[in-house]
Amino acid sequence: INEIMVVKSDHIYVERDGLLELSGRRFISDKVTESIIERIVAQVGRRIDKSQPLVDARLPDGSRVNAIIPPLAIKGPCLTIRKFPAHRFTMDDLIEMKSMTGSGAMFLRACVIDRKNVLVSGGTGTGKTTMLNVLSSFIPHKDRIITIEDTTELQLHQDHVVTLETKQANVEGTGAYTIRDLVKNALRMRPDRIIVGECRGAEAVDMLQAMNTGHDGSMTTVHANSAEEVIKRLEVLVLMAVELPVVSIHRQIASAIDVIVQITRLPGGRRACTQISEVAGIDPDTHQLIIHDIYNFRDGTELRPTGYLPTFVEPLIEKKLLQLEFLYGHADASGSSNGRPASPAAPRRKG
Ligand SMILES: Nc1ncnc2c1ncn2[C@@H]1O[C@H](COP(=O)(O)OP(=O)(O)OP(=O)(O)O)[C@@H](O)[C@H]1O
Ligand SMILES: [Mg+2]
Protein backbone atom coordinates (compact mmCIF):
# COMPACT_ATOMS: atom_id res chain seq x y z
CA ILE A 1 0.00 0.00 0.00
CA ASN A 2 1.41 3.38 -0.86
CA GLU A 3 -1.60 5.63 -0.53
CA ILE A 4 -4.56 5.87 1.85
CA MET A 5 -7.61 7.98 1.00
CA VAL A 6 -10.45 8.70 3.40
CA VAL A 7 -13.33 9.99 1.30
CA LYS A 8 -15.99 9.54 3.98
CA SER A 9 -15.76 7.86 7.35
CA ASP A 10 -17.11 4.61 5.87
CA HIS A 11 -15.39 5.02 2.52
CA ILE A 12 -11.67 4.45 2.83
CA TYR A 13 -9.66 3.58 -0.25
CA VAL A 14 -6.11 2.31 -0.53
CA GLU A 15 -3.82 2.06 -3.48
CA ARG A 16 -2.30 -1.38 -3.62
CA ASP A 17 0.15 -2.31 -6.39
CA GLY A 18 -1.03 0.59 -8.49
CA LEU A 19 -4.76 -0.08 -8.20
CA LEU A 20 -7.35 1.73 -6.12
CA GLU A 21 -9.51 -0.48 -3.93
CA LEU A 22 -11.96 -0.04 -1.05
CA SER A 23 -10.12 -0.96 2.14
CA GLY A 24 -13.16 -2.33 3.97
CA ARG A 25 -12.05 -0.33 7.02
CA ARG A 26 -14.10 2.51 8.49
CA PHE A 27 -14.12 5.21 11.12
CA ILE A 28 -17.21 5.31 13.34
CA SER A 29 -18.25 8.81 12.30
CA ASP A 30 -17.10 12.02 10.63
CA LYS A 31 -16.41 13.37 14.12
CA VAL A 32 -13.93 10.57 14.70
CA THR A 33 -12.32 11.16 11.29
CA GLU A 34 -11.96 14.82 12.12
CA SER A 35 -10.37 14.18 15.50
CA ILE A 36 -7.92 11.74 13.89
CA ILE A 37 -7.04 14.40 11.34
CA GLU A 38 -6.53 16.90 14.15
CA ARG A 39 -4.20 14.49 15.92
CA ILE A 40 -2.18 13.82 12.76
CA VAL A 41 -1.67 17.48 11.86
CA ALA A 42 -0.95 18.45 15.49
CA GLN A 43 2.05 16.10 15.28
CA VAL A 44 3.68 18.53 12.87
CA GLY A 45 2.58 21.66 14.73
CA ARG A 46 -0.35 22.46 12.46
CA ARG A 47 -3.99 23.14 13.19
CA ILE A 48 -7.12 22.44 11.24
CA ASP A 49 -10.51 24.05 11.91
CA LYS A 50 -13.33 25.91 10.17
CA SER A 51 -11.19 28.99 9.65
CA GLN A 52 -8.27 26.93 8.28
CA PRO A 53 -9.98 23.93 6.73
CA LEU A 54 -7.03 22.75 4.66
CA VAL A 55 -3.66 21.38 5.69
CA ASP A 56 -0.93 20.01 3.49
CA ALA A 57 2.03 18.74 5.43
CA ARG A 58 4.84 16.28 5.69
CA LEU A 59 4.97 13.87 8.60
CA PRO A 60 8.18 13.15 10.49
CA ASP A 61 8.65 9.93 8.47
CA GLY A 62 8.44 11.87 5.20
CA SER A 63 4.89 10.79 4.31
CA ARG A 64 2.68 13.44 2.75
CA VAL A 65 -0.63 14.31 4.35
CA ASN A 66 -3.44 16.36 2.92
CA ALA A 67 -6.51 17.01 5.04
CA ILE A 68 -9.50 19.05 4.01
CA ILE A 69 -12.65 19.49 6.10
CA PRO A 70 -15.98 21.35 5.84
CA PRO A 71 -16.85 23.95 4.70
CA LEU A 72 -14.35 23.22 1.87
CA ALA A 73 -15.09 19.50 1.79
CA ILE A 74 -18.84 19.38 1.36
CA LYS A 75 -19.51 15.78 2.39
CA GLY A 76 -17.27 15.67 5.42
CA PRO A 77 -13.59 15.50 6.36
CA CYS A 78 -11.20 13.96 3.81
CA LEU A 79 -7.72 12.68 4.37
CA THR A 80 -5.11 11.65 1.83
CA ILE A 81 -1.84 10.07 2.92
CA ARG A 82 0.97 9.21 0.54
CA LYS A 83 3.44 7.00 2.30
CA PHE A 84 7.05 8.01 1.87
CA PRO A 85 8.66 5.31 -0.26
CA ALA A 86 11.21 3.46 1.84
CA HIS A 87 13.25 3.19 -1.30
CA ARG A 88 12.94 5.13 -4.52
CA PHE A 89 12.96 3.10 -7.70
CA THR A 90 16.09 3.10 -9.81
CA MET A 91 16.17 3.04 -13.60
CA ASP A 92 16.85 -0.70 -13.39
CA ASP A 93 13.67 -1.11 -11.32
CA LEU A 94 11.68 0.83 -13.92
CA ILE A 95 13.07 -1.38 -16.68
CA GLU A 96 12.32 -4.49 -14.61
CA MET A 97 8.72 -3.32 -14.11
CA LYS A 98 8.43 -2.65 -17.84
CA SER A 99 7.87 1.05 -17.18
CA MET A 100 10.89 1.84 -19.33
CA THR A 101 12.98 0.07 -21.96
CA GLY A 102 16.74 -0.29 -21.87
CA SER A 103 17.04 1.76 -25.03
CA GLY A 104 14.84 4.56 -23.67
CA ALA A 105 16.84 4.57 -20.44
CA MET A 106 20.13 4.80 -22.30
CA PHE A 107 18.84 7.67 -24.38
CA LEU A 108 17.55 9.62 -21.35
CA ARG A 109 20.81 9.04 -19.49
CA ALA A 110 22.69 10.53 -22.43
CA CYS A 111 20.33 13.52 -22.48
CA VAL A 112 20.85 14.22 -18.78
CA ILE A 113 24.63 13.89 -18.92
CA ASP A 114 24.78 16.15 -21.97
CA ARG A 115 22.74 18.79 -20.12
CA LYS A 116 19.48 18.67 -22.04
CA ASN A 117 16.58 20.38 -20.30
CA VAL A 118 14.05 17.68 -19.53
CA LEU A 119 10.40 17.96 -18.64
CA VAL A 120 8.58 14.96 -17.21
CA SER A 121 4.84 14.91 -17.83
CA GLY A 122 2.07 12.72 -16.50
CA GLY A 123 -1.18 12.58 -14.58
CA THR A 124 -1.56 12.45 -10.81
CA GLY A 125 0.37 9.60 -9.23
CA THR A 126 1.74 8.28 -12.52
CA GLY A 127 5.33 8.39 -11.28
CA LYS A 128 6.56 11.86 -12.30
CA THR A 129 8.54 12.40 -9.12
CA THR A 130 9.94 8.88 -9.35
CA MET A 131 11.09 9.53 -12.93
CA LEU A 132 12.57 12.90 -11.96
CA ASN A 133 14.48 11.19 -9.19
CA VAL A 134 15.78 8.50 -11.54
CA LEU A 135 16.84 11.05 -14.16
CA SER A 136 18.56 13.16 -11.48
CA SER A 137 20.68 10.18 -10.55
CA PHE A 138 22.48 10.54 -13.91
CA ILE A 139 23.71 14.06 -13.11
CA PRO A 140 27.50 14.04 -12.75
CA HIS A 141 28.86 14.56 -9.24
CA LYS A 142 30.82 17.66 -10.19
CA ASP A 143 27.64 19.69 -10.78
CA ARG A 144 26.09 22.01 -8.22
CA ILE A 145 22.43 20.98 -7.99
CA ILE A 146 19.59 22.92 -6.36
CA THR A 147 16.32 21.09 -5.78
CA ILE A 148 13.08 22.95 -5.09
CA GLU A 149 9.93 21.17 -3.92
CA ASP A 150 6.73 21.75 -1.98
CA THR A 151 7.55 18.76 0.15
CA THR A 152 10.93 17.15 -0.18
CA GLU A 153 10.54 13.87 -2.04
CA LEU A 154 13.63 13.69 -4.25
CA GLN A 155 16.46 11.58 -2.93
CA LEU A 156 19.66 12.65 -4.66
CA HIS A 157 22.88 10.91 -3.80
CA GLN A 158 25.28 13.44 -5.31
CA ASP A 159 27.55 15.29 -2.83
CA HIS A 160 26.79 18.82 -3.88
CA VAL A 161 23.03 19.27 -3.51
CA VAL A 162 21.16 22.19 -1.98
CA THR A 163 17.64 21.13 -0.97
CA LEU A 164 14.99 23.83 -0.75
CA GLU A 165 11.39 23.41 0.39
CA THR A 166 8.48 25.86 0.24
CA LYS A 167 6.77 27.15 3.33
CA GLN A 168 3.08 27.84 3.80
CA ALA A 169 1.77 31.04 5.33
CA ASN A 170 1.52 31.16 9.12
CA VAL A 171 -1.69 31.75 11.06
CA GLU A 172 -1.56 35.46 10.29
CA GLY A 173 -1.39 34.63 6.60
CA THR A 174 2.17 35.86 6.09
CA GLY A 175 5.58 34.28 5.72
CA ALA A 176 4.73 32.09 2.73
CA TYR A 177 7.61 31.15 0.44
CA THR A 178 6.51 29.72 -2.88
CA ILE A 179 8.26 27.65 -5.53
CA ARG A 180 8.48 30.91 -7.47
CA ASP A 181 10.35 32.66 -4.64
CA LEU A 182 12.72 29.74 -4.33
CA VAL A 183 13.44 29.50 -8.08
CA LYS A 184 14.25 33.23 -8.13
CA ASN A 185 16.50 32.79 -5.13
CA ALA A 186 18.16 29.69 -6.59
CA LEU A 187 19.26 31.77 -9.58
CA ARG A 188 21.34 33.85 -7.17
CA MET A 189 23.02 30.75 -5.77
CA ARG A 190 25.06 29.94 -8.86
CA PRO A 191 23.54 26.56 -9.59
CA ASP A 192 24.65 24.37 -12.45
CA ARG A 193 21.27 22.70 -12.55
CA ILE A 194 17.92 23.48 -11.01
CA ILE A 195 15.41 20.71 -10.35
CA VAL A 196 11.87 21.81 -9.56
CA GLY A 197 9.64 19.04 -8.23
CA GLU A 198 6.56 20.25 -10.04
CA CYS A 199 5.49 23.31 -12.01
CA ARG A 200 1.84 23.94 -11.29
CA GLY A 201 1.66 27.71 -11.27
CA ALA A 202 3.35 30.96 -12.09
CA GLU A 203 6.78 29.44 -11.38
CA ALA A 204 6.66 27.87 -14.86
CA VAL A 205 7.77 31.19 -16.29
CA ASP A 206 10.76 31.37 -13.94
CA MET A 207 11.66 27.79 -14.72
CA LEU A 208 11.59 28.46 -18.47
CA GLN A 209 13.71 31.52 -17.88
CA ALA A 210 16.20 29.58 -15.79
CA MET A 211 16.44 26.97 -18.55
CA ASN A 212 16.97 29.77 -21.06
CA THR A 213 19.71 31.51 -19.12
CA GLY A 214 22.47 29.00 -18.94
CA HIS A 215 21.17 26.50 -16.44
CA ASP A 216 21.20 23.71 -18.97
CA GLY A 217 20.43 20.29 -17.66
CA SER A 218 17.57 21.48 -15.50
CA MET A 219 14.47 19.40 -14.97
CA THR A 220 10.93 19.64 -13.77
CA THR A 221 7.52 17.94 -14.06
CA VAL A 222 4.09 19.10 -15.17
CA HIS A 223 0.66 17.58 -15.06
CA ALA A 224 -0.38 16.69 -18.63
CA ASN A 225 -1.46 13.65 -20.59
CA SER A 226 0.71 13.94 -23.70
CA ALA A 227 3.69 15.85 -25.01
CA GLU A 228 1.29 17.99 -27.02
CA GLU A 229 -0.83 18.72 -23.96
CA VAL A 230 2.30 19.84 -22.10
CA ILE A 231 2.46 22.88 -24.34
CA LYS A 232 -1.15 23.87 -23.58
CA ARG A 233 -0.49 23.36 -19.90
CA LEU A 234 2.66 25.49 -19.96
CA GLU A 235 0.77 28.25 -21.80
CA VAL A 236 -1.80 28.33 -19.02
CA LEU A 237 0.86 28.30 -16.28
CA VAL A 238 2.93 31.05 -17.89
CA LEU A 239 -0.18 33.20 -18.35
CA MET A 240 -0.79 32.93 -14.59
CA ALA A 241 2.38 34.97 -14.17
CA VAL A 242 2.56 37.31 -17.14
CA GLU A 243 0.47 38.51 -20.06
CA LEU A 244 2.40 37.24 -23.06
CA PRO A 245 1.30 36.49 -26.59
CA VAL A 246 1.10 32.74 -27.17
CA VAL A 247 3.75 33.02 -29.89
CA SER A 248 6.25 34.41 -27.37
CA ILE A 249 5.42 31.67 -24.90
CA HIS A 250 6.02 29.10 -27.62
CA ARG A 251 9.33 30.70 -28.46
CA GLN A 252 10.37 30.49 -24.79
CA ILE A 253 9.28 26.86 -24.56
CA ALA A 254 11.11 26.00 -27.78
CA SER A 255 14.40 27.40 -26.59
CA ALA A 256 14.04 26.18 -23.00
CA ILE A 257 12.88 22.59 -23.28
CA ASP A 258 14.72 19.91 -25.19
CA VAL A 259 13.00 16.69 -24.20
CA ILE A 260 9.57 15.74 -22.89
CA VAL A 261 9.18 12.39 -21.10
CA GLN A 262 5.56 11.31 -20.91
CA ILE A 263 4.36 8.81 -18.30
CA THR A 264 0.96 7.16 -18.41
CA ARG A 265 -0.91 4.82 -16.14
CA LEU A 266 -2.04 1.97 -18.36
CA PRO A 267 -5.24 -0.01 -17.86
CA GLY A 268 -4.30 -2.65 -15.28
CA GLY A 269 -2.23 -0.27 -13.18
CA ARG A 270 1.16 -0.49 -14.87
CA ARG A 271 2.89 2.86 -15.22
CA ALA A 272 4.92 3.31 -18.34
CA CYS A 273 6.89 5.88 -20.20
CA THR A 274 4.79 6.19 -23.37
CA GLN A 275 6.51 9.03 -25.22
CA ILE A 276 9.93 10.61 -25.36
CA SER A 277 9.76 13.67 -27.59
CA GLU A 278 11.95 16.49 -28.75
CA VAL A 279 10.76 20.07 -28.75
CA ALA A 280 12.55 20.75 -32.00
CA GLY A 281 11.76 24.41 -32.62
CA ILE A 282 9.08 26.58 -34.11
CA ASP A 283 7.58 26.21 -37.54
CA PRO A 284 8.40 29.46 -39.31
CA ASP A 285 5.13 29.38 -41.29
CA THR A 286 2.56 28.30 -38.72
CA HIS A 287 4.45 29.55 -35.62
CA GLN A 288 3.48 26.30 -33.95
CA LEU A 289 5.92 24.34 -31.84
CA ILE A 290 7.43 21.37 -33.58
CA ILE A 291 7.31 18.26 -31.43
CA HIS A 292 8.79 15.03 -32.71
CA ASP A 293 8.46 11.71 -30.95
CA ILE A 294 11.84 10.01 -30.58
CA TYR A 295 10.18 7.07 -28.85
CA ASN A 296 6.52 6.27 -28.52
CA PHE A 297 4.02 3.57 -27.77
CA ARG A 298 2.54 3.11 -31.20
CA ASP A 299 1.63 -0.55 -30.81
CA GLY A 300 0.37 0.03 -27.29
CA THR A 301 2.66 -2.46 -25.59
CA GLU A 302 6.20 -1.12 -25.56
CA LEU A 303 8.15 2.08 -25.92
CA ARG A 304 9.84 1.94 -29.33
CA PRO A 305 12.13 4.29 -31.23
CA THR A 306 10.21 6.02 -34.01
CA GLY A 307 13.32 6.38 -36.16
CA TYR A 308 13.34 10.15 -35.74
CA LEU A 309 16.80 11.43 -34.88
CA PRO A 310 16.75 14.38 -32.49
CA THR A 311 18.55 17.56 -33.62
CA PHE A 312 21.02 17.19 -30.72
CA VAL A 313 21.97 13.58 -31.42
CA GLU A 314 25.43 14.13 -32.89
CA PRO A 315 27.24 15.26 -29.71
CA LEU A 316 25.67 12.31 -27.88
CA ILE A 317 27.20 9.93 -30.41
CA GLU A 318 30.55 11.74 -30.49
CA LYS A 319 30.79 11.64 -26.70
CA LYS A 320 29.95 7.93 -26.87
CA LEU A 321 26.92 8.44 -24.65
CA LEU A 322 24.75 6.74 -27.21
CA GLN A 323 24.94 4.35 -30.12
CA LEU A 324 22.88 5.36 -33.08
CA GLU A 325 21.41 1.85 -33.32
CA PHE A 326 19.34 2.54 -30.21
CA LEU A 327 17.36 5.14 -32.07
CA TYR A 328 16.81 2.84 -35.04
CA GLY A 329 15.18 0.23 -32.85
CA HIS A 330 17.72 -2.48 -33.73
CA ALA A 331 19.19 -2.90 -30.28
CA ASP A 332 18.43 -2.40 -26.62
CA ALA A 333 20.71 -1.09 -23.90
CA SER A 334 22.50 -4.39 -23.45
CA GLY A 335 23.48 -4.15 -27.08
CA SER A 336 21.60 -7.30 -28.02
CA SER A 337 18.82 -7.40 -30.53
CA ASN A 338 15.37 -7.30 -29.01
CA GLY A 339 14.26 -9.88 -31.51
CA ARG A 340 11.65 -7.66 -33.12
CA PRO A 341 11.75 -6.17 -36.57
CA ALA A 342 13.16 -2.67 -36.74
CA SER A 343 10.84 0.28 -36.61
CA PRO A 344 9.13 0.63 -39.99
CA ALA A 345 9.66 4.39 -40.08
CA ALA A 346 12.86 5.14 -41.94
CA PRO A 347 15.30 7.11 -39.79
CA ARG A 348 15.22 10.71 -40.84
CA ARG A 349 16.76 13.99 -39.95
CA LYS A 350 14.88 16.87 -38.46
CA GLY A 351 12.78 18.74 -40.98
N1 LIG B 1 6.93 2.88 -12.78
C1 LIG B 1 6.27 2.63 -11.65
N2 LIG B 1 5.70 1.44 -11.42
C2 LIG B 1 5.02 1.19 -10.28
N3 LIG B 1 4.86 2.08 -9.29
C3 LIG B 1 5.41 3.29 -9.44
C4 LIG B 1 6.13 3.63 -10.64
N4 LIG B 1 6.55 4.90 -10.53
C5 LIG B 1 6.11 5.33 -9.33
N5 LIG B 1 5.42 4.38 -8.68
C6 LIG B 1 4.79 4.50 -7.37
O1 LIG B 1 3.62 5.30 -7.54
C7 LIG B 1 3.46 6.21 -6.47
C8 LIG B 1 3.41 7.62 -7.02
O2 LIG B 1 4.66 7.93 -7.60
P1 LIG B 1 5.18 9.41 -7.74
O3 LIG B 1 5.13 10.12 -6.44
O4 LIG B 1 6.48 9.34 -8.44
O5 LIG B 1 4.06 9.99 -8.72
P2 LIG B 1 3.72 11.50 -9.12
O6 LIG B 1 3.24 11.46 -10.53
O7 LIG B 1 4.89 12.36 -8.82
O8 LIG B 1 2.52 11.81 -8.13
P3 LIG B 1 1.88 13.24 -7.80
O9 LIG B 1 0.97 13.55 -8.95
O10 LIG B 1 1.12 13.00 -6.53
O11 LIG B 1 3.01 14.21 -7.64
C9 LIG B 1 4.64 5.97 -5.54
O12 LIG B 1 4.23 5.15 -4.49
C10 LIG B 1 5.66 5.26 -6.41
O13 LIG B 1 6.49 4.40 -5.66
MG1 LIG C 1 5.01 14.11 -7.68
Side-chain angles (χ1 to χ4, degrees):
I1 291 177
N2 42 36
E3 207 152 348
I4 302 167
M5 287 156 264
V6 181
V7 180
K8 251 179 117 347
S9 54
D10 57 354
H11 242 81
I12 302 180
Y13 289 89
V14 293
E15 196 198 272
R16 199 190 301 269
D17 302 327
L19 291 175
L20 269 188
E21 56 184 57
L22 260 177
S23 70
R25 308 273 183 123
R26 52 181 308 193
F27 293 133
I28 296 159
S29 66
D30 284 352
K31 267 227 132 44
V32 172
T33 311
E34 199 160 326
S35 72
I36 286 170
I37 291 176
E38 279 164 14
R39 279 225 303 273
I40 292 175
V41 303
Q43 255 189 80
V44 284
R46 303 284 293 278
R47 215 171 63 198
I48 190 160
D49 55 35
K50 273 204 189 59
S51 64
Q52 281 187 83
L54 193 164
V55 169
D56 195 64
R58 185 158 51 102
L59 298 182
D61 74 349
S63 298
R64 244 162 63 173
V65 177
N66 184 280
I68 184 160
I69 63 170
L72 296 181
I74 300 290
K75 290 184 184 159
C78 295
L79 178 67
T80 312
I81 300 180
R82 159 89 51 89
K83 277 175 49 182
F84 191 72
H87 128 99
R88 277 253 172 239
F89 295 128
T90 62
M91 192 56 107
D92 286 341
D93 295 330
L94 295 187
I95 294 171
E96 177 103 348
M97 296 185 296
K98 297 205 180 308
S99 297
M100 178 58 80
T101 59
S103 165
M106 202 64 173
F107 174 71
L108 289 174
R109 175 179 167 275
C111 289
V112 172
I113 295 176
D114 207 37
R115 313 187 72 92
K116 297 297 145 216
N117 288 323
V118 179
L119 191 141
V120 176
S121 154
T124 308
T126 46
K128 298 183 293 298
T129 304
T130 302
M131 181 61 73
L132 192 63
N133 199 60
V134 166
L135 296 178
S136 304
S137 70
F138 298 134
I139 298 176
H141 279 252
K142 63 176 174 35
D143 285 358
R144 172 165 164 84
I145 309 168
I146 302 189
T147 69
I148 300 172
E149 294 173 274
D150 273 327
T151 48
T152 307
E153 290 183 282
L154 294 172
Q155 300 171 4
L156 272 66
H157 50 255
Q158 285 85 344
D159 309 320
H160 194 155
V161 183
V162 178
T163 309
L164 304 179
E165 191 179 85
T166 58
K167 183 178 169 299
Q168 293 192 347
N170 56 24
V171 189
E172 289 82 45
T174 58
Y177 288 88
T178 62
I179 296 261
R180 201 156 192 210
D181 297 324
L182 297 180
V183 173
K184 285 180 183 160
N185 193 71
L187 291 175
R188 300 187 194 114
M189 297 170 71
R190 211 206 67 88
D192 289 315
R193 312 198 187 214
I194 301 177
I195 302 177
V196 172
E198 189 175 350
C199 275
R200 57 171 140 226
E203 66 270 11
V205 80
D206 305 288
M207 191 64 196
L208 290 177
Q209 239 150 42
M211 288 173 160
N212 273 328
T213 52
H215 304 92
D216 291 340
S218 292
M219 297 187 249
T220 187
T221 74
V222 295
H223 195 285
N225 295 315
S226 68
E228 290 73 19
E229 210 185 292
V230 165
I231 307 304
K232 287 267 158 265
R233 181 83 186 132
L234 284 176
E235 282 171 23
V236 171
L237 297 183
V238 168
L239 287 171
M240 286 177 170
V242 283
E243 273 299 327
L244 265 185
V246 170
V247 182
S248 321
I249 301 178
H250 282 190
R251 217 170 284 135
Q252 283 223 21
I253 295 174
S255 56
I257 296 168
D258 298 303
V259 175
I260 298 175
V261 180
Q262 180 67 41
I263 315 174
T264 307
R265 195 195 289 242
L266 304 175
R270 173 159 74 102
R271 278 102 153 166
C273 173
T274 49
Q275 234 180 338
I276 302 177
S277 316
E278 176 183 20
V279 181
I282 295 221
D283 187 313
D285 301 324
T286 63
H287 302 293
Q288 292 293 310
L289 277 166
I290 304 167
I291 297 178
H292 282 306
D293 285 358
I294 307 161
Y295 289 83
N296 64 21
F297 226 63
R298 268 167 311 168
D299 63 359
T301 56
E302 203 187 44
L303 188 71
R304 300 259 205 100
T306 60
Y308 168 77
L309 297 184
T311 56
F312 53 80
V313 76
E314 260 159 39
L316 304 188
I317 309 282
E318 273 159 27
K319 292 174 193 168
K320 300 203 169 17
L321 292 170
L322 196 68
Q323 286 163 286
L324 209 49
E325 294 86 81
F326 290 179
L327 295 179
Y328 290 153
H330 292 316
D332 60 25
S334 61
S336 65
S337 164
N338 61 13
R340 290 193 190 80
S343 156
R348 60 187 160 87
R349 290 271 159 197
K350 179 202 176 191

